[in-house]
Amino acid sequence: QSVLTQPPSASGTPGQRVTISCSGSSSNIGSNYVYWYQQLPGTAPKLLIYRSNQRPSGVPDRFSGSKSGTSASLAISGLRSEDEADYYCAAWDDSLSALYVFGTGTKVTVL
Amino acid sequence: QVQLQESGPGLVKPSQTLSLTCSVSGGSISSRSYYWNWIRQPAGKGLEWIGRIYISGSTNYNPSFKSRVTISLDTSKNLFSLKLSSVTAADTAVYYCARDPRITIFGVYSGDGMDVWGQGTTVTVS
């Protein structure tokens, strides 16, 4: 029951910049931080961005996050073949009790 | 560093209870700094948060699971568990456990992004 909407796919050639959008509402993105996860094929998700625009240690600075109003974006600059993966945004939703909601997911293909 | 490992039956019959455990190594589940979460992912689909527990025993569950879900801690074994009752084929998925650092945001406790995940375990309901 994803309440965060992402485009199903995005693509680019090596070296290009790719941006993934995540659309939510005032009860989630509009009032809370956004998190981004990368899921390589056959593996568990990995935290890529926290607090909307912070990178955990070890995450390349090619990955950047931003938030404006009820939407957020993940940008991948200098696209590399190893970036081919599924990407999910996530946020806490205040509409009910604590509820963590994930986006619908975006498959990034490196052409 | 901290590692999480899910375990449990890979096959559960419809209407029965799915039971999984997540063993924590390299760190203590009794730490006051983390929430412990369960997330699932049906094959070819997206991620769904099931719920979380804190060392105090406080839990939060996704309303989608209504009263079917229970998450508990066993500090003596350094693990936490998931029980999902009355399962159907729709509960077939890869189940992940994950750690989420606990922070305060404007005076309210919150998670800060699931920074450590288990490798996942596949559960089939059939």
Side-chain angles (χ1 to χ4, degrees):
Chain A
Q1 98 287 8
S2 298
V3 298
L4 304 182
T5 303
Q6 300 177 234
S9 63
S11 62
T13 57
Q16 279 190 329
R17 176 184 173 91
V18 170
T19 302
I20 303 168
S21 62
C22 175
S23 178
S25 68
S26 58
S27 64
N28 40 67
I29 294 178
S31 52
N32 293 297
Y33 288 127
V34 177
Y35 303 89
W36 289 91
Y37 297 88
Q38 177 194 57
Q39 187 175 32
L40 297 170
T43 69
K46 168 190 170 184
L47 181 65
L48 207 60
I49 297 288
Y50 69 105
R51 299 186 200 175
S52 303
N53 58 15
Q54 300 298 303
R55 284 185 307 277
S57 175
V59 172
D61 59 6
R62 303 185 294 104
F63 294 92
S64 62
S66 63
K67 189 186 95 164
S68 179
T70 59
S71 294
S73 294
L74 173 72
I76 310 172
S77 59
L79 193 65
R80 303 177 67 162
S81 58
E82 58 260 40
D83 299 332
E84 189 159 292
D86 294 322
Y87 292 83
Y88 294 91
C89 60
W92 288 99
D93 192 294
D94 298 332
S95 58
L96 295 170
S97 58
L99 172 63
Y100 199 69
V101 291
F102 286 98
T104 49
T106 299
K107 169 68 177 178
V108 168
T109 301
V110 181
L111 301 171
Chain B
Q1 73 266 22
V2 174
Q3 292 185 314
L4 307 182
Q5 177 68 58
E6 305 90 348
S7 60
L11 182 64
V12 181
K13 295 184 185 303
S15 79
Q16 292 190 342
T17 296
L18 178 161
S19 295
L20 297 175
T21 61
C22 180
S23 297
V24 179
S25 59
S28 174
I29 201 168
S30 298
S31 170
R32 305 189 72 81
S33 299
Y34 302 104
Y35 294 104
W36 305 96
N37 294 261
W38 286 98
I39 303 97
R40 74 179 187 180
Q41 184 174 37
K45 296 188 178 181
L47 300 166
E48 182 175 34
W49 181 73
I50 300 171
R52 69 178 182 183
I53 189 165
Y54 183 59
I55 183 57
S56 65
S58 172
T59 54
N60 298 103
Y61 298 131
N62 186 327
S64 294
F65 296 93
K66 297 180 181 178
S67 58
R68 293 199 301 138
V69 63
T70 302
I71 298 176
S72 59
L73 283 169
D74 187 334
T75 56
S76 65
K77 296 181 180 177
N78 214 37
L79 59 79
F80 61 107
S81 301
L82 169 70
K83 291 188 185 298
L84 186 63
S85 63
S86 304
V87 297
T88 68
D91 295 308
T92 294
V94 176
Y95 285 76
Y96 296 100
C97 56
R99 184 186 81 170
D100 189 2
R102 185 178 188 241
I103 63 169
T104 54
I105 303 174
F106 303 116
V108 177
Y109 286 111
S110 179
D112 201 26
M114 296 175 203
D115 64 346
V116 180
W117 292 65
Q119 65 185 28
T121 188
T122 300
V123 178
T124 301
V125 179
S126 178

